[in-house]
Short mmCIF file of all heavy atoms in Angstrom, two decimals:
data_model
loop_
_atom_site.label_atom_id
_atom_site.label_comp_id
_atom_site.label_asym_id
_atom_site.label_seq_id
_atom_site.Cartn_x
_atom_site.Cartn_y
_atom_site.Cartn_z
N LYS A 5 1.08 -20.81 3.09
CA LYS A 5 -0.02 -20.08 2.49
C LYS A 5 -0.44 -18.89 3.35
O LYS A 5 -0.94 -17.90 2.84
CB LYS A 5 -1.20 -21.03 2.30
CG LYS A 5 -2.28 -20.47 1.43
CD LYS A 5 -3.33 -21.52 1.18
CE LYS A 5 -4.37 -20.99 0.22
NZ LYS A 5 -5.40 -21.95 -0.04
N ASP A 9 -1.92 -15.12 2.24
CA ASP A 9 -3.27 -14.73 2.62
C ASP A 9 -3.26 -13.41 3.38
O ASP A 9 -4.13 -12.58 3.18
CB ASP A 9 -3.93 -15.80 3.48
CG ASP A 9 -4.26 -17.06 2.68
OD1 ASP A 9 -4.31 -16.99 1.44
OD2 ASP A 9 -4.46 -18.11 3.31
N VAL A 11 -1.03 -10.98 3.08
CA VAL A 11 -0.74 -9.90 2.13
C VAL A 11 -1.99 -9.56 1.32
O VAL A 11 -2.32 -8.39 1.14
CB VAL A 11 0.43 -10.29 1.19
CG1 VAL A 11 0.57 -9.31 0.05
CG2 VAL A 11 1.73 -10.39 1.97
N ALA A 13 -5.11 -10.06 2.20
CA ALA A 13 -6.07 -9.42 3.09
C ALA A 13 -5.70 -7.95 3.32
O ALA A 13 -6.58 -7.09 3.31
CB ALA A 13 -6.12 -10.16 4.42
N GLY A 21 -10.08 1.00 1.66
CA GLY A 21 -9.79 2.32 2.24
C GLY A 21 -9.64 3.38 1.17
O GLY A 21 -10.14 4.51 1.31
N ILE A 22 -8.95 3.03 0.08
CA ILE A 22 -8.79 3.97 -1.04
C ILE A 22 -10.15 4.29 -1.64
O ILE A 22 -10.46 5.45 -1.93
CB ILE A 22 -7.84 3.39 -2.12
CG1 ILE A 22 -6.41 3.30 -1.59
CG2 ILE A 22 -7.90 4.20 -3.40
CD1 ILE A 22 -5.71 4.63 -1.43
N THR A 28 -15.13 9.89 -0.24
CA THR A 28 -15.08 10.97 0.75
C THR A 28 -14.61 12.27 0.11
O THR A 28 -15.21 13.33 0.31
CB THR A 28 -14.13 10.58 1.92
OG1 THR A 28 -14.65 9.43 2.58
CG2 THR A 28 -13.98 11.72 2.91
N TYR A 30 -14.75 13.05 -3.02
CA TYR A 30 -15.81 13.49 -3.95
C TYR A 30 -16.84 14.33 -3.20
O TYR A 30 -17.23 15.42 -3.64
CB TYR A 30 -16.47 12.28 -4.62
CG TYR A 30 -17.74 12.62 -5.34
CD1 TYR A 30 -17.71 13.24 -6.59
CD2 TYR A 30 -18.98 12.36 -4.77
CE1 TYR A 30 -18.89 13.57 -7.25
CE2 TYR A 30 -20.16 12.69 -5.43
CZ TYR A 30 -20.11 13.29 -6.67
OH TYR A 30 -21.26 13.63 -7.31
N ARG A 34 -17.71 18.81 -3.00
CA ARG A 34 -19.03 19.41 -3.23
C ARG A 34 -19.53 20.21 -2.02
O ARG A 34 -20.60 20.80 -2.09
CB ARG A 34 -20.03 18.31 -3.58
CG ARG A 34 -19.58 17.53 -4.83
CD ARG A 34 -20.53 16.47 -5.21
NE ARG A 34 -21.76 17.14 -5.67
CZ ARG A 34 -22.92 16.54 -5.81
NH1 ARG A 34 -23.03 15.27 -5.56
NH2 ARG A 34 -23.98 17.20 -6.21
N ARG A 43 -11.35 22.55 -2.65
CA ARG A 43 -12.48 21.92 -3.35
C ARG A 43 -12.11 21.58 -4.78
O ARG A 43 -12.45 20.50 -5.28
CB ARG A 43 -13.69 22.86 -3.35
CG ARG A 43 -14.39 22.96 -2.02
CD ARG A 43 -15.55 23.93 -2.06
NE ARG A 43 -16.58 23.43 -2.96
CZ ARG A 43 -17.62 24.15 -3.33
NH1 ARG A 43 -17.77 25.40 -2.92
NH2 ARG A 43 -18.53 23.64 -4.14
N VAL A 49 -8.80 15.34 -8.02
CA VAL A 49 -8.35 14.03 -7.53
C VAL A 49 -9.46 12.99 -7.67
O VAL A 49 -9.24 11.87 -8.15
CB VAL A 49 -7.86 14.13 -6.07
CG1 VAL A 49 -7.63 12.75 -5.46
CG2 VAL A 49 -6.57 14.95 -6.01
N ALA A 53 -9.35 9.75 -10.11
CA ALA A 53 -9.46 8.41 -9.53
C ALA A 53 -10.62 7.63 -10.13
O ALA A 53 -10.53 6.41 -10.30
CB ALA A 53 -9.62 8.50 -8.01
N ASP A 62 -2.18 2.03 -18.85
CA ASP A 62 -1.81 0.83 -18.09
C ASP A 62 -0.98 -0.17 -18.89
O ASP A 62 -0.29 -0.99 -18.31
CB ASP A 62 -3.05 0.14 -17.53
CG ASP A 62 -3.69 0.94 -16.41
OD1 ASP A 62 -3.01 1.81 -15.84
OD2 ASP A 62 -4.87 0.70 -16.11
N PRO A 65 4.61 -0.94 -19.49
CA PRO A 65 5.14 -1.73 -18.37
C PRO A 65 5.63 -0.84 -17.22
O PRO A 65 6.24 0.19 -17.44
CB PRO A 65 6.31 -2.50 -18.99
CG PRO A 65 6.02 -2.52 -20.45
CD PRO A 65 5.27 -1.25 -20.75
N ARG A 85 -5.23 16.16 4.01
CA ARG A 85 -4.47 17.04 4.92
C ARG A 85 -4.92 18.50 4.82
O ARG A 85 -4.85 19.23 5.80
CB ARG A 85 -2.99 16.92 4.66
CG ARG A 85 -2.45 15.58 5.07
CD ARG A 85 -0.96 15.56 5.11
NE ARG A 85 -0.52 14.22 5.39
CZ ARG A 85 0.15 13.88 6.48
NH1 ARG A 85 0.45 14.78 7.36
NH2 ARG A 85 0.50 12.63 6.66
N MET A 87 -7.99 19.62 3.70
CA MET A 87 -9.43 19.80 3.91
C MET A 87 -9.72 19.99 5.40
O MET A 87 -9.18 19.26 6.24
CB MET A 87 -10.18 18.57 3.38
CG MET A 87 -11.67 18.73 3.26
SD MET A 87 -12.24 19.94 2.06
CE MET A 87 -11.77 19.19 0.51
N GLU A 89 -11.28 19.53 8.97
CA GLU A 89 -11.70 18.27 9.60
C GLU A 89 -13.22 18.09 9.62
O GLU A 89 -13.72 17.00 9.39
CB GLU A 89 -11.13 18.18 11.02
CG GLU A 89 -11.19 16.79 11.61
CD GLU A 89 -10.39 15.76 10.80
OE1 GLU A 89 -9.30 16.08 10.31
OE2 GLU A 89 -10.89 14.62 10.67
N ARG A 96 -17.09 11.88 5.10
CA ARG A 96 -16.92 10.46 5.45
C ARG A 96 -18.25 9.81 5.81
O ARG A 96 -18.51 8.66 5.44
CB ARG A 96 -15.95 10.31 6.63
CG ARG A 96 -14.51 10.36 6.25
CD ARG A 96 -13.61 10.01 7.43
NE ARG A 96 -12.22 10.30 7.10
CZ ARG A 96 -11.52 11.30 7.59
NH1 ARG A 96 -12.05 12.12 8.49
NH2 ARG A 96 -10.26 11.49 7.23
N THR A 101 -22.36 5.99 4.26
CA THR A 101 -23.77 5.71 3.97
C THR A 101 -23.93 5.16 2.55
O THR A 101 -24.62 4.16 2.33
CB THR A 101 -24.62 6.98 4.13
OG1 THR A 101 -24.50 7.43 5.48
CG2 THR A 101 -26.08 6.72 3.81
N LEU A 103 -21.58 3.73 0.61
CA LEU A 103 -20.90 2.44 0.44
C LEU A 103 -21.57 1.31 1.22
O LEU A 103 -21.34 0.14 0.91
CB LEU A 103 -19.43 2.56 0.83
CG LEU A 103 -18.61 3.49 -0.06
CD1 LEU A 103 -17.20 3.67 0.50
CD2 LEU A 103 -18.56 2.98 -1.49
N LYS A 105 -24.79 0.81 1.29
CA LYS A 105 -26.00 0.37 0.59
C LYS A 105 -25.73 -0.96 -0.10
O LYS A 105 -24.67 -1.16 -0.67
CB LYS A 105 -26.42 1.41 -0.45
CG LYS A 105 -26.97 2.66 0.17
CD LYS A 105 -27.44 3.62 -0.89
CE LYS A 105 -28.01 4.87 -0.24
NZ LYS A 105 -28.45 5.84 -1.24
N PHE A 129 -19.07 -14.84 -34.49
CA PHE A 129 -18.59 -13.97 -35.56
C PHE A 129 -17.23 -14.45 -36.08
O PHE A 129 -16.99 -14.45 -37.27
CB PHE A 129 -18.49 -12.54 -35.02
CG PHE A 129 -17.94 -11.56 -36.03
CD1 PHE A 129 -18.74 -11.09 -37.07
CD2 PHE A 129 -16.64 -11.10 -35.92
CE1 PHE A 129 -18.24 -10.19 -37.98
CE2 PHE A 129 -16.14 -10.19 -36.83
CZ PHE A 129 -16.94 -9.74 -37.88
#
Side-chain angles (χ1 to χ4, degrees):
K5 192 174 184 180
D9 290 341
V11 169
I22 292 289
T28 297
Y30 168 77
R34 302 181 67 196
R43 285 178 65 190
V49 169
D62 289 341
R85 291 193 186 243
M87 192 65 68
E89 195 60 39
R96 279 188 190 107
T101 300
L103 295 173
K105 289 183 179 179
F129 178 76

